[in-house]
Amino acid sequence: TYYVKVSDLCTSASDTIVVTLNNNPPQLSLPNQLTLCQGQSLTLDAVVGGVTYLWNDNSQASTLTVSSPGTYSLTISNSCGTDKDTVTVLDGGPAPLVTLGNDVSLCAGDVITLTPALSDVTSWLWNDGSTSPTYTVSGAELVTVEVSNSCGTSYDTLNAILLPATPPIDLGNDTLLCPGSSLQLNINTP
């Protein structure tokens, strides 16, 4: 604390100033590693104020947007010193994809097991709450599936249609025909 007093024969004036010594260099702490999903980007942020920034690509903003895996480093500086840290951005892979295919038609009593075309799926959720990679259809329903992984979620639907029952057909009793004779057959089922 510094104090000064100035006086003359008529008056006096004084003032005080506090000077603090800050000899601490800046502290930087980036995450050790992050995961970046394919087709996405993420923003690296040092969250440190009152410093200058220098990223490994020579940019000087407080944040850096990255769209590919790799190792990224940042050096921060102020009048008391510098600090440097590095973050490794890992490839998280693509988002999942699922395709159930075309709608299906079933006859009464039929059972169809759906095995979807997929890629990069780690979890399943079907419209009935089941979580296996296949689904059994035995009647008319709208089938929905939600698949996911750490990079996102994908959905698909399929309509299962129950065909009408085939009516019984009766052509009558077996008949013996003589050569040159004919027999007209009729089906009287609508």
Side-chain angles (χ1 to χ4, degrees):
T1 302
Y2 295 92
Y3 171 83
V4 64
K5 182 177 182 181
V6 178
S7 1
D8 63 15
L9 291 176
C10 298
T11 140
S12 68
S14 64
D15 197 7
T16 304
I17 186 171
V18 176
V19 177
T20 342
L21 177 61
N22 180 3
N23 59 0
N24 295 327
Q27 299 278 319
L28 177 60
S29 181
L30 295 174
N32 288 334
Q33 63 184 19
L34 297 170
T35 302
L36 176 65
C37 297
Q38 291 176 7
Q40 297 180 0
S41 63
L42 56 88
T43 301
L44 303 177
D45 190 347
V47 194
V48 177
V51 296
T52 59
Y53 304 91
L54 181 61
W55 293 93
N56 59 307
D57 68 350
N58 291 322
S59 63
Q60 297 179 351
S62 63
T63 62
L64 179 68
T65 301
V66 297
S67 56
S68 61
T71 301
Y72 298 89
S73 61
L74 170 64
T75 302
I76 59 172
S77 304
N78 66 15
S79 59
C80 296
T82 63
D83 195 14
K84 182 176 182 177
D85 202 2
T86 301
V87 58
T88 302
V89 177
L90 303 174
D91 184 356
L97 293 174
V98 65
T99 303
L100 292 176
N102 296 328
D103 292 347
V104 294
S105 299
L106 298 101
C107 295
D110 283 354
V111 174
I112 297 175
T113 300
L114 299 176
T115 305
L118 60 103
S119 65
D120 303 297
V121 174
T122 57
S123 69
W124 301 82
L125 181 59
W126 296 92
N127 53 283
D128 69 350
S130 62
T131 57
S132 69
T134 60
Y135 185 79
T136 302
V137 179
S138 59
E141 69 176 298
L142 180 63
V143 178
T144 60
V145 66
E146 173 186 318
V147 297
S148 60
N149 67 18
S150 62
C151 288
T153 303
S154 181
Y155 306 88
D156 199 12
T157 60
L158 172 141
N159 196 13
I161 302 163
L162 188 59
L163 297 172
T166 304
I169 298 175
D170 185 5
L171 295 176
N173 296 330
D174 291 346
T175 304
L176 183 62
L177 292 178
C178 295
S181 299
S182 65
L183 174 68
Q184 185 174 350
L185 299 175
N186 292 314
I187 299 174
N188 294 323
T189 304

